[in-house]
């Protein structure tokens, strides 16, 4: 039985690069009928390799045990691939001119209620959907790499998307175990990538200024605030940083210092020399480890973090339900009724 939202049984994955294949693996592991489309030579074989690599951890994270990792379909023609689909996840290259041709072609052959979601990491869906007969069903459903592990999905409706399309996408992603958030206003890069870009800009500035090495700047994130960011966002972290007074005390006590740091943040010029320094710095940090080795370590630790957070959330939800049940029982069946006659009578 599928874990997915009711009414969504067949999903078309258009574009089978790293993101598309990861989506395909997740959809397949949740019991969905999956068809993948990509015109590139060898796309089917490459997709299978990526699904096979993701499969062990997906089974650990609650995938359907009876499903085989080869139980999906391949169709190079995207228009044919979406036939009969209940949901479309598009992952074509990040270029308006390409997506603006692809979306109308898909839109023309689908029933109007079928949502077309783009994995675009920064484009505006209002522009992507230009030329579609039903732009109201076109949304952004931006995952974080790798989609089969990272819970976040940014859902953006744009100017013409219907509330029904947004609600369908939110419900569908949630049913898969994802954590969808609705972005209320279109901006390039959505939210999470803009936050990443802001941090990376300052990290590059620090390299350019000779403040620290590439490896040490990465360590300053991974061995420091990055560990907290895996648990809660920046606002809640600083709320805790305010102690008993919370965010109000934090702003009163530390805002002047933070504002002075903001004033000193840099905007580096990405010269060829600086780019070369970044490349060499990352090579030194990788210390000979292959991309496959780095990705395997990332995915192994990510799976452990996701499983730990899921277990903690489940325990918290169970405790809340138990507390509400106890409260309801106390109201319905008081522990002791007041005596009808006092002892003195």
């Amino acid at each position: 039985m599928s874990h997915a939202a009711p009414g969504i049984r067949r999903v078309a994955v258009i574009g089978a690069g790293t993101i598309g294949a990861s989506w395909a693996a997740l959809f397949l592991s949740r019991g969905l009928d999956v068809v993948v489309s990509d015109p590139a030579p060898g796309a089917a074989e490459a997709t299978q390799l990526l699904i096979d690599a993701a499969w062990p951890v997906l089974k650990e994270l609650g995938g359907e045990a009876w499903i085989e990792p080869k139980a999906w379909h391949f169709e190079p023609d995207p228009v044919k691939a979406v036939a009969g689909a209940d949901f479309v996840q598009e992952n074509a290259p990040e270029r308006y001119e390409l997506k603006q041709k692809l979306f109308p072609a898909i839109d023309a052959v689908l029933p109007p209620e079928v949502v077309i979601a783009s994995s675009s990491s920064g484009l505006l869906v209002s522009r992507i959907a230009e030329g579609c007969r039903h732009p109201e069903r076109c949304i952004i459903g931006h995952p974080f790499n790798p989609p089969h592990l990272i819970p976040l999905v940014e859902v953006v409706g744009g100017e013409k998307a219907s509330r029904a399309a947004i609600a369908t996408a939110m419900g569908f992603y949630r049913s898969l175990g994802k954590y969808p958030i609705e972005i209320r206003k279109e901006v390039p890069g959505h939210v999470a990538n803009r936050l990443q870009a802001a941090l990376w800009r300052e990290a590059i500035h620090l390299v350019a200024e000779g403040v620290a090495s590439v490896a040490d700047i990465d360590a300053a994130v991974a061995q420091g605030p990055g560990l907290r960011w895996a648990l809660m966002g920046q606002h809640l972290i600083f709320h805790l940083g305010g102690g008993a007074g919370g965010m109000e005390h934090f702003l009163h006590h530390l805002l002047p210092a933070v504002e002075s740091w903001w004033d000193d943040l840099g905007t580096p010029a990405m010269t060829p020399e600086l780019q070369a320094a970044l490349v060499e710095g990352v090579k030194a940090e990788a210390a000979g480890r292959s991309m496959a080795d780095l990705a395997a370590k990332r995915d192994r630790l990510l799976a452990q973090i996701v499983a730990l957070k899921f277990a903690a959330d489940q325990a918290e939800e169970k405790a809340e339900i138990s507390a509400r049940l106890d409260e309801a029982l106390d109201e319905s069946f008081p522990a002791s009724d007041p005596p009808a006659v006092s002892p003195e009578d």
Side-chain angles (χ1 to χ4, degrees):
M1 178 180 292
S2 169
H3 292 179
I8 297 179
R9 287 289 306 129
R10 184 178 178 87
V11 180
V13 177
I14 309 302
T18 301
I19 299 300
S22 181
W23 268 127
L26 175 68
F27 296 149
L28 184 63
S29 76
R30 294 301 184 262
L32 292 166
D33 183 12
V34 178
V35 57
V36 177
S37 179
D38 196 298
E45 294 77 10
T47 300
Q48 188 63 66
L49 288 174
L50 287 168
I51 290 176
D52 289 342
W55 205 249
V57 71
L58 281 169
K59 290 184 70 174
E60 291 179 13
L61 293 175
E64 298 284 5
W66 54 269
I67 298 173
E68 292 296 325
K70 292 181 172 61
W72 57 282
H73 317 283
F74 184 79
E75 169 53 63
D77 184 341
V79 174
K80 293 180 180 178
V82 301
D86 303 309
F87 193 92
V88 177
Q89 188 73 43
E90 174 272 325
N91 317 275
E94 192 81 346
R95 299 199 301 272
Y96 277 119
E97 63 273 17
L98 195 155
K99 293 181 187 289
Q100 286 170 340
K101 292 179 180 178
L102 179 61
F103 262 62
I106 294 172
D107 172 75
V109 299
L110 282 170
E113 69 274 9
V114 176
V115 172
I116 305 175
S118 176
S119 294
S120 171
S121 59
L123 303 182
L124 305 183
V125 70
S126 295
R127 288 190 58 188
I128 291 174
E130 290 176 0
C132 289
R133 292 185 306 171
H134 297 285
E136 70 278 2
R137 48 99 160 267
C138 300
I139 65 156
I140 295 291
H142 172 237
F144 250 60
N145 190 29
H148 68 276
L149 288 180
I150 301 290
L152 179 68
V153 182
E154 296 176 308
V155 176
V156 192
E159 297 174 357
K160 296 184 178 180
S162 68
R163 291 308 308 172
I166 294 170
T168 296
M170 295 283 286
F172 175 57
Y173 293 133
R174 195 176 290 114
S175 74
L176 299 172
K178 309 301 282 181
Y179 196 107
I181 63 172
E182 182 180 352
I183 310 302
R184 301 174 184 176
K185 180 180 179 181
E186 283 187 293
V187 289
H190 317 316
V191 169
N193 271 336
R194 290 175 71 96
L195 295 173
Q196 283 197 135
L199 177 62
W200 193 36
R201 181 174 67 181
E202 183 58 21
I204 292 171
H205 171 68
L206 294 172
V207 171
E209 294 296 308
V211 174
S213 68
V214 169
D216 284 346
I217 291 168
D218 276 359
V221 175
Q223 303 300 329
L227 294 173
R228 300 190 304 195
W229 291 336
L231 307 176
M232 56 187 67
Q234 194 62 62
H235 294 113
L236 196 55
I237 286 171
F238 281 176
H239 178 60
L240 279 175
M247 178 62 81
E248 184 176 4
H249 177 71
F250 182 90
L251 293 172
H252 176 74
H253 184 60
L254 287 174
L255 181 57
V258 173
E259 288 180 319
S260 72
W261 304 338
W262 285 342
D263 292 339
D264 195 51
L265 295 179
T267 304
M270 292 294 285
T271 63
E273 293 77 16
L274 178 54
Q275 293 182 47
L278 294 175
V279 170
E280 291 305 312
V282 169
K283 286 181 179 179
E285 184 180 1
R289 290 172 292 176
S290 69
M291 298 293 284
D293 290 339
L294 291 169
K297 179 179 180 180
R298 177 201 65 187
D299 291 355
R300 184 175 66 253
L301 295 176
L302 276 176
Q304 293 174 16
I305 293 170
V306 170
L308 180 62
K309 290 185 69 175
F310 179 77
D313 289 344
Q314 290 290 98
E316 186 175 307
E317 182 179 350
K318 184 177 180 180
E320 290 176 357
I321 293 173
S322 179
R324 289 198 298 268
L325 180 59
D326 289 344
E327 183 179 343
L329 289 173
D330 286 343
E331 292 176 355
S332 302
F333 305 100
S336 61
D337 294 323
V341 180
S342 65
E344 289 80 7
D345 290 343

